[in-house]
Amino acid sequence: MTPPRESAPALAPRVVALIPLVLALLSMIGPFSIDTPFPAFAEMGKALEVSSTELQLVVTAYMLAFASMSLFHGPLSDAIGRRPVILGSLAVYAAASVACAFAPSLGWLLVGRIAQGLAAGGSTIVSRTVIRDLFDGPRAQRMMSQVAVIFGVAPAIAPIIGGLLIQVGPWQTVFWFMAVLALLLAVVSAVMLPESHPPERRVPLRVGEIFRGLAEVLRVPAFHRMTWAATLVFGAQFLYIGGASIFVVDLLGEGELDFWKLFVPMIGAMVVGSLASGRFGRTFTSAQLITLGYAVSTLGAVIGVVVALTPAGSVLPWAVVGISFVAFGNGLAFPNIQMLMLDLLPGRRGAVMSASTFVTLVFNAVSAAVVAPYAGGSVLGFAVAAAASVVLGWGCWQWHRVATRRAVPA
């Protein structure tokens, strides 16, 4: 077992054991905030007098704000430390959630969602860098996989929790729950989470330095290849997440409490893949697990298209078999490709994670706003769009492998 770095703070074994849980709960804020309001859309539409198409802006506004601010959370944590960014963003997120609960119109709700998105990245993005700050080798890989497990569970449980909340209260209850969750996580983080980025490792807190760090990341070709591989393959899965209300309700004819029929098998498969990634981390390299994962995702994309061409494509559980295989492959690959990206520039880990997250979020926001409604005309439309995304992502990873082999001297 690889010990923590010498320059990292000394941690008690009990604290070390709890770090993955705390970080995973922090990282789940982002995806949790996307999916939790879905079951409340019908009630929100009636109360705010808007259509389901207009309510898609609740997702898009949040994600675009998340993407915009994600460029700065990581570099900011490189300059002032991880804890201040995490705790400050949770406080702002809680206040924004309260504002959403009091929103009298869609316009004001979107303002609150934008504020939520601006704050959510502080915990979701920066929490990933803490593991790589503190640990090396297989231990870091296993912890990243453990975080990915709970991170993956968030989209599955979010609509379930949202559905239960609107059974006991109005749609505003969903946002009150988000506010309470953020405050609880702030308390837990303040008590349990060490500062993993000591002053001697920090960069100057200057606007120019923040942009210089991002520019340094963007000059690395491997960053672009790996970021787009991860973004495109995960984008196939997010197509179903962002378009869940269309896929589950409009195409499959299910109700507001039935989102679990999509999310449980899909996210469950991703969790199993993440567990497998952690288990096989000592046997296989990260690159080998990524290659295997994306091969499985490609197989799942093909299965999804084939099933969608048959009558079974509009019937559960067959309608989600293909995307569940895609999710399993993502679970194998995603923790490992993030580890490789974080090692590209050890002094700029926050900037690396911010830039990567920005690309992923912008792509997913466009997917939710444009691709999902367009593909939403049929189950086959979803399957074909997802397959195209997976194949492009798999191609980016193969490109990276070839480029890496050519870069190694003979």
Side-chain angles (χ1 to χ4, degrees):
M1 182 175 289
T2 305
R5 305 165 187 265
E6 291 182 3
S7 57
L11 301 174
R14 184 177 299 177
V15 174
V16 172
L18 290 174
I19 282 177
L21 176 61
V22 175
L23 294 177
L25 291 173
L26 290 171
S27 70
M28 72 182 278
I29 280 285
F32 188 86
S33 303
I34 297 170
D35 300 341
T36 309
F38 281 158
F41 269 20
E43 186 177 335
M44 288 166 61
K46 292 177 182 177
L48 302 177
E49 299 180 345
V50 293
S51 67
S52 58
T53 302
E54 291 174 295
L55 282 174
Q56 281 294 118
L57 293 173
V58 173
V59 176
T60 304
Y62 169 83
M63 293 192 62
L64 289 177
F66 194 151
S68 300
M69 191 61 191
S70 69
L71 281 173
F72 303 102
H73 281 130
L76 188 61
S77 76
D78 288 338
I80 67 174
R82 314 303 189 202
R83 275 171 55 95
V85 176
I86 290 174
L87 296 177
S89 65
L90 286 171
V92 174
Y93 177 92
S97 300
V98 172
C100 288
F102 281 111
S105 65
L106 178 62
W108 283 108
L109 178 60
L110 293 179
V111 170
R113 288 289 280 176
I114 289 171
Q116 274 190 322
L118 292 174
S123 57
T124 300
I125 296 169
V126 178
S127 62
R128 308 290 183 85
T129 66
V130 174
I131 287 179
R132 201 63 191 93
D133 285 341
L134 295 176
F135 304 103
D136 287 309
R139 190 178 193 183
Q141 196 274 342
R142 288 197 304 275
M143 283 196 169
M144 192 70 82
S145 295
Q146 291 168 6
V147 168
V149 168
I150 301 179
F151 173 81
V153 168
I157 64 173
I160 298 173
I161 291 175
L164 293 174
L165 289 171
I166 64 170
Q167 302 304 307
V168 299
W171 63 267
Q172 292 92 339
T173 309
V174 171
F175 294 102
W176 284 113
F177 177 83
M178 292 180 180
V180 172
L181 176 63
L183 292 175
L184 288 176
L185 286 177
V187 172
V188 171
S189 299
V191 173
M192 297 296 303
L193 201 63
E195 176 53 70
S196 64
H197 194 57
E200 62 269 19
R201 294 189 197 167
R202 297 176 189 173
V203 299
L205 180 57
R206 295 194 297 267
V207 173
E209 186 64 29
I210 290 176
F211 285 101
R212 190 175 299 113
L214 291 170
E216 187 177 345
V217 172
L218 295 176
R219 285 195 295 267
V220 179
F223 167 80
H224 295 280
R225 295 191 297 264
M226 286 193 284
T227 291
W228 278 107
T231 294
L232 287 163
V233 179
F234 184 76
Q237 190 175 329
F238 189 85
L239 178 68
Y240 285 81
I241 296 173
S245 59
I246 298 172
F247 185 78
V248 173
V249 178
D250 297 342
L251 296 180
L252 300 183
E254 303 291 333
E256 64 186 19
L257 295 179
D258 294 323
F259 286 90
W260 67 270
K261 295 179 182 179
L262 165 65
F263 285 101
V264 168
M266 181 174 65
I267 304 303
M270 187 174 182
V271 168
V272 173
S274 297
L275 289 171
S277 174
R279 184 176 182 83
F280 295 127
R282 294 180 179 179
T283 307
F284 300 97
T285 66
S286 289
Q288 288 172 330
L289 288 172
I290 295 167
T291 300
L292 175 61
Y294 286 163
V296 174
S297 292
T298 303
L299 173 63
V302 172
I303 291 173
V305 172
V306 171
V307 172
L309 287 169
T310 70
S314 299
V315 180
L316 290 168
W318 310 112
V320 298
V321 169
I323 196 61
S324 295
F325 273 96
V326 172
F328 178 82
N330 261 320
L332 277 176
F334 200 69
N336 292 284
I337 203 166
Q338 285 200 320
M339 287 285 293
L340 293 183
M341 281 193 287
L342 286 169
D343 285 342
L344 289 173
L345 293 169
R348 298 284 191 180
R349 287 195 177 111
V352 169
M353 190 54 60
S354 277
S356 176
T357 302
F358 174 79
V359 173
T360 300
L361 286 170
V362 169
F363 181 84
N364 288 340
V366 172
S367 175
V370 179
V371 181
Y374 180 77
S378 67
V379 173
L380 179 61
F382 269 93
V384 170
S389 191
V390 169
V391 169
L392 287 172
W394 176 80
C396 288
W397 173 246
Q398 293 302 318
W399 176 25
H400 176 71
R401 293 180 68 203
V402 171
T404 301
R405 285 197 295 267
R406 288 178 177 173
V408 176

